[in-house]
Amino acid sequence: EQSGQINAVGFHLYCRLLQTTVSLLRGEPVRVAPEVDLTFDFMEFALSVPKGRTCACFPMKYIESERVRLHSYRRLAMLTSEKELDSFAEELRDRFGSIPPEAENLLMATRIRIAASSLGLTSISVRNKLIYMEKDKRFLRRDDMLPALTPCLTPEQKLIGVYRVVQEFRKFASA
C-alpha cells in the first residue's frame, strides 16, 4: 500500500509529506523546504552545458555512486536554513573531498533559494544582467529600478552578486 502511495505522488513529495506528518504528530514545528524558482541566463542545473554557461551539479566524478548523488540532491532540496546548508557542505567535504566548482555553484544557488524564501519570493531570474525577484506577482525594485549585476562578471561572481542583492533586500525588509 505504501509503495502505491509513493508512486502516486512521487518520492520527493511523499518524503516531504511524511516528514510533515511526523513533525505534526510529535508537536514539532513543521519545516517547509523553500519553493523558489531559480532561472539564470548564465547557468544550467545540469551535468553538461552549452558554451558560455556554467553548470550547477554534483559531478559524477565527485559523487560516483548514482544512488548517493541522488540522495544528496534530495537532501539539498530539503534544506531550510543557511546553517543546515553549511553543515551539508562540510559533510560533503568530509565524505568526498574538496568541493568542485560545479557543486559550489549548486550550493550557492541553494543559498540564494533559502535566502529568497525568507523574503517570501517565489522566483528569481537573471536575464541580460537584470535580476527579477518576484514576490506577490510583482518584481522587487530598488529606487524604482530592477537590480542589475555588474558587467563582465564570471558566472560564479554573478551568483555571489545575486546572493548579495537578496541579502540587501532581506536587510531592508527587516529594518
Side-chain angles (χ1 to χ4, degrees):
E1 182 183 342
Q2 199 171 22
S3 66
Q5 292 171 345
I6 292 172
N7 289 335
V9 299
F11 182 75
H12 183 70
L13 180 57
Y14 180 80
C15 288
R16 199 181 291 178
L17 291 170
L18 187 61
Q19 181 181 20
T20 300
T21 302
V22 169
S23 293
L24 287 172
L25 290 172
R26 290 181 176 166
E28 300 170 347
V30 177
R31 294 177 34 206
V32 179
E35 294 289 333
V36 179
D37 182 41
L38 300 179
T39 308
F40 303 135
D41 64 1
F42 57 87
M43 188 175 77
E44 299 277 336
F45 294 94
L47 290 172
S48 62
V49 296
K51 189 174 180 168
R53 291 182 174 225
T54 192
C55 63
C57 65
F58 293 126
M60 288 187 275
K61 65 183 184 235
Y62 183 60
I63 303 177
E64 294 178 2
S65 165
E66 182 177 354
R67 182 184 60 76
V68 174
R69 199 169 48 257
L70 290 174
H71 178 71
S72 297
Y73 282 120
R74 279 190 210 108
R75 284 192 51 212
L76 189 63
M78 297 301 291
L79 300 178
T80 60
S81 74
E82 292 188 52
K83 183 178 179 182
E84 290 175 344
L85 178 60
D86 292 338
S87 295
F88 181 76
E90 190 58 37
E91 181 182 327
L92 288 175
R93 281 185 205 89
D94 288 346
R95 289 182 71 186
F96 308 108
S98 180
I99 299 175
E102 304 93 332
E104 288 287 0
N105 292 341
L106 184 60
L107 295 175
M108 180 54 81
T110 302
R111 188 171 302 281
I112 292 167
R113 178 179 53 83
I114 290 168
S117 175
S118 71
L119 274 171
L121 300 181
T122 55
S123 72
I124 297 180
S125 60
V126 176
R127 292 187 307 270
N128 299 319
K129 298 180 190 84
L130 293 177
I131 303 172
Y132 298 85
M133 299 185 295
E134 187 175 358
K135 179 178 181 173
D136 301 326
K137 299 185 182 189
R138 293 187 358 234
F139 292 115
L140 299 185
R141 298 174 183 273
R142 180 173 41 196
D143 299 326
D144 254 356
M145 298 176 64
L146 291 170
L149 294 170
T150 306
C152 302
L153 295 176
T154 67
E156 292 78 12
Q157 292 169 326
K158 289 178 183 179
L159 278 173
I160 293 167
V162 171
Y163 178 69
R164 286 182 179 152
V165 168
V166 173
Q167 289 291 81
E168 287 174 23
F169 274 85
R170 199 156 72 167
K171 287 177 188 171
F172 179 74
S174 65

